Structure formats: C-alpha cells, structure tokens
Amino acid sequence: MSDDLLKYRPEFPILERTTYMISNSLGAMPRGVYEAMHDYAETWATRGVRAWEEHWWMLAAEVGNEIGSLMNAPQWCVSTHQNVTTCQAVIASCFDFSSKRNKVVYTDMNFPSVMYFWEAQQDTGARVRMVKTDDGITVPTQRLLDAIDEETLLVPVSHVIFRSAFINDAAAIVEKAHKVGALVVLDTFQSLGTVPIDVQALNVDFACGGVLKWLCGGPGVGYLYVRPDLGKKLKPRFTGWMAHENPFAFEIGATRYTDPPFRFMNGTPHIPSLEAARPGLKIINEIGVAQIRNKSQRQTARLIALADQHGWKINTPRDPEQRGGTVSIEIPDAQEVCRELLRRDVLVDYRPKAGVRLSPHFYNTDQELDNAIGVIGEILSERQLATG
Ligand SMILES: Cc1ncc(COP(=O)(O)O)c(C=O)c1O
C-alpha cells in the first residue's frame, strides 16, 4: 500500500536506528533541529543583545501562531509557556475561588500533574470534585456532565486520555459547562497533532498542551489558547513584565495588561526551546492533522488486530472514533518487557494501569508495527522458556 507520509522519514534521524513508536511521550526529533539550534547559537554569538529586538521578543507569540493554526485558533490567541502545569497556574490566577462558584470538576483519568495542581488549589478555596471512572479505559461522559453544576467554575479535562487514548466528548463537555456558566480547560497534549481539533467550532474556553509529543517539538514549550473574548477580559495574577502594555517603560506600580497572547505570559521566554519546536511544527502544519489522523486510525487498528492474534488485553477503545493515537496493551510483566524492548531498539513505554503504550505516528511504516508486536511476542516466549 502506498503511503505518502513515509516521504518524511528521512527528516527524522532516529528512524534509521530504531523502531520509534513512542510519539505519545517524545516525538522523534526532526533533522531541522540541528540547524535551528545552530542558528540560535549564531544569533546569540553574532547579534548579542540586539537579538531580542530583531527576533527573540516576538518568537513566543509567533510559535504560538504556528501551534494555533493546528487547532484553527485565530492569530495571536495562543501564548507559550514551559508546560501544561504552568498553563493551569496562569488560568487559576485569573479567578477567585472564594465565592460560591468555586468548583473544579474533572475525572480521575486526567494527567496526574494537572490533578496535583488543582488539589493544591483547595488551600485557596477551590473545591475539587473528581469524578470516578470504572474501567480504566473510558470516561462515562454522562457522569462527568452531571457533576458540572451551577457552582462549577472550571472543568480542566484531557481531550485524549494519556493511559488509554480514549477521546473525551469535548463538545458535550463544553455545551454542559456553558449551560451552567462554567469554563472548560481542554488539555490537548495527547490530541493536537494526531486528532483534529477546532477550538472555534468547539467554542472551548481554554486549550493547553505541549509540543514534545505528537508535534515533534522537543521539551520546554507548553501552549495556552484563550478564547478571544475572554482573552480581552481576564487578568492573570501570575503575571510579569511581558504582559505589560509597555514593558520597556519599566513603570512602577500595578501592571497595565497588554493584549493576548503576551497578556498571558509573564517573564523572559525560553528561546532555545521555542527555536527547537519550529521544525516539527512546520512539518505537522505542512501535512495537516486530518491526514495524520487517517493513517493513525489505520495503524492503531492494525496494532490491535496483531495484539488480538496473541490474545493480549487491549486497554484502548476498539472504536476508532473514540481512540486517539495510542494503543495500550496489557501483557505479563509489562514493565520488564518494556525495558527489554528499549534494549532491542523498539522504543515504547510502560504506564501502570495501561500496560505497554505503542504510538505510531505519520513517519512509521506498517512493517515497524509488525516488528514491534513481533519483538514483544519473542520476549514473552523467551521469558516463558526461561521460567519453565
Ligand atoms: C494529557 C497530558 N497532560 C499533561 C502532561 C504533562 O504535563 P506538563 O506539561 O505539565 O509536564 C502530559 C504528559 O505526559 C499529558 O499526557
């Protein structure tokens, strides 16, 4: 079967040496990052402090636009930060948790860092309502919707669940939240770049994530989309000079907020990480997420079919419409098997209650999927023989 997307393989050096199936954790590095890092050093070395005015100051907002175009965000609505947890802090700092509307509602399938952050906000008056889920794979949507009530302020939920790749019903969550006057913070870390998202069609209030997984952008860049009308009103208390209307006046006293995206930023941005993020974003923007999604649905189905042949339990939805880019497979001694897979250059990961996670991306061949499953089978047979 011809696969147009395989033409991008030479752009990713690690594909020559490994079966790279771990894009849910760290996407493969595009070759262009070598040049981007060299250019960064050259700019610093030759332009010195002039680099801020010539290029660096706007970079945080420009990279925000490159991320925003993948989610159909209008220009200048996406600010960049270090990570998703920091994005939660920026959002939390826009609200007052001492009034009656102070509930924060999410499910126990959220990424733990996000939950740790909101649990800690209980000291500032936030009331956390964590909805329990049942099977470790899906989120019972109605149960989550029922928990969102008139006292709910924020609903910070993952779009795609990191353990199982279940796709939350973002449209239903936004609809219910808005009906009762609550706002949704959609964590699109595990969706943007592999599952299409349109923040304007969803009318979602906030969307956040990072570039290091499906966007092949490396560690250090988180992003925060804020709905344009909210963006003009909100005043983050976690703020700094980048958010000031006239940062270089170095005024004394309270800040005068500028417009988004700088309004949601604070101190000096992480220039090297922003530069490193660009080659991956360029490739994903060029391909388009719809094409990536088509291939991903086909390849994840293939992985499930191969795992079924071995009789392994699948901890991922079988319905392709409910499934993101990852297939989680439960196998005996999954953690040790995962270590052995890494030793044999099959790069995947292990997560408790998920098993081994395999995440093909646009650059993977079908043979690599077959190889990954084949090597898991080999390791399990060897272990069985060894233990008699
Ligand atoms: C859904 C989701 N949210 C957040 C994170 C990470 O959060 P942070 O960027 O704060 O490290 C991950 C990382 O694995 C994730 O899968």
Side-chain angles (χ1 to χ4, degrees):
M1 177 175 191
S2 85
D3 180 345
D4 248 14
L5 298 184
L6 294 182
K7 70 174 183 242
Y8 288 97
R9 280 178 71 81
E11 297 302 317
F12 295 90
I14 201 166
L15 303 182
E16 288 164 21
R17 294 185 285 279
T18 67
T19 299
Y20 201 83
M21 212 76 78
I22 185 69
S23 304
N24 59 304
S25 177
L26 183 67
M29 189 198 86
R31 189 179 294 286
V33 174
Y34 286 121
E35 200 186 322
M37 293 289 87
H38 182 267
D39 288 353
Y40 160 70
E42 193 64 16
T43 301
W44 184 10
T46 60
R47 302 305 298 156
V49 74
R50 293 169 292 188
W52 282 112
E53 199 177 336
E54 290 168 0
H55 179 47
W56 288 350
W57 187 266
M58 284 307 291
L59 191 61
E62 282 162 5
V63 172
N65 283 343
E66 287 158 20
I67 296 166
S69 70
L70 294 169
M71 52 168 92
N72 192 33
Q75 291 252 299
W76 314 116
C77 286
V78 176
S79 52
T80 49
H81 304 268
Q82 190 183 338
N83 53 45
V84 162
T85 312
T86 314
C87 294
Q88 309 296 309
V90 174
I91 296 166
S93 80
C94 296
F95 298 100
D96 170 16
F97 293 92
S98 65
S99 63
K100 196 163 169 229
R101 187 185 282 279
N102 60 0
K103 266 197 205 170
V104 179
V105 179
Y106 52 78
T107 80
D108 58 8
M109 299 284 270
N110 256 7
F111 189 75
S113 191
V114 173
M115 298 201 269
Y116 303 152
F117 175 84
W118 289 109
E119 287 274 342
Q121 301 318 300
Q122 296 189 109
D123 290 349
T124 70
R127 278 182 295 155
V128 170
R129 164 88 167 86
M130 186 179 73
V131 175
K132 292 243 163 62
T133 59
D134 301 320
D135 61 4
I137 301 176
T138 57
V139 169
T141 306
Q142 195 55 49
R143 202 180 296 166
L144 171 59
L145 299 186
D146 290 345
I148 304 171
D149 59 16
E150 269 76 12
E151 295 182 356
T152 305
L153 178 57
L154 293 169
V155 185
V157 286
S158 297
H159 188 201
V160 169
I161 302 299
F162 81 102
R163 272 189 227 281
S164 66
F166 174 77
I167 304 178
N168 253 325
D169 188 344
I173 296 167
V174 171
E175 193 191 337
K176 175 65 196 280
H178 287 182
K179 203 162 145 197
V180 296
L183 301 171
V184 174
V185 182
L186 196 62
D187 178 349
T188 55
F189 215 141
Q190 293 289 358
S191 51
L192 192 65
T194 186
V195 175
I197 304 163
D198 182 331
V199 285
Q200 295 191 75
L202 272 177
N203 197 22
V204 70
D205 309 289
F206 303 95
C208 58
V211 303
L212 71 154
K213 304 175 188 293
W214 301 100
L215 300 178
C216 302
V221 179
Y223 57 83
L224 174 61
Y225 161 80
V226 182
R227 219 180 66 204
D229 57 310
L230 277 177
K232 289 201 191 82
K233 286 192 293 215
L234 294 175
K235 294 179 174 171
R237 287 186 301 277
F238 177 14
T239 190
W241 69 308
M242 283 198 88
H244 198 283
E245 206 173 77
N246 193 357
F248 292 98
F250 301 100
E251 289 176 15
I252 310 288
T255 188
R256 290 189 291 115
Y257 289 95
T258 187
D259 292 331
F262 286 109
R263 188 183 183 96
F264 294 95
M265 297 191 220
N266 33 71
T268 308
H270 40 318
I271 302 299
S273 300
L274 291 164
E275 295 284 22
R278 297 188 98 170
L281 290 169
K282 183 164 180 282
I283 292 173
I284 309 273
N285 267 301
E286 194 175 291
I287 301 173
V289 182
Q291 257 209 91
I292 296 177
R293 174 69 169 155
N294 278 342
K295 175 166 176 174
S296 164
Q297 285 186 312
R298 183 178 67 71
Q299 287 199 320
T300 50
R302 185 183 181 106
L303 278 173
I304 290 174
L306 290 166
D308 279 344
Q309 286 171 16
H310 289 270
W312 299 326
K313 182 171 179 277
I314 307 295
N315 284 329
T316 289
R318 285 176 179 273
D319 176 355
E321 293 310 311
Q322 287 197 338
R323 183 174 72 231
T326 299
V327 176
S328 303
I329 304 177
E330 201 169 302
I331 48 169
D333 308 320
Q335 192 162 15
E336 288 90 74
V337 172
C338 185
R339 246 180 246 132
E340 185 56 25
L341 283 165
L342 296 185
R343 219 181 54 76
R344 296 185 193 190
D345 286 332
V346 176
L347 304 196
V348 296
D349 73 5
Y350 160 80
R351 289 290 179 269
K353 298 195 210 141
V356 174
R357 298 188 302 176
L358 291 96
S359 299
H361 208 0
F362 61 91
Y363 39 58
N364 286 115
T365 64
D366 288 355
Q367 290 84 338
E368 287 175 314
L369 312 189
D370 303 354
N371 181 51
I373 296 290
V375 178
I376 295 174
E378 262 167 45
I379 296 170
L380 285 174
S381 329
E382 287 166 18
R383 291 173 69 88
Q384 218 166 16
L385 277 178
T387 53

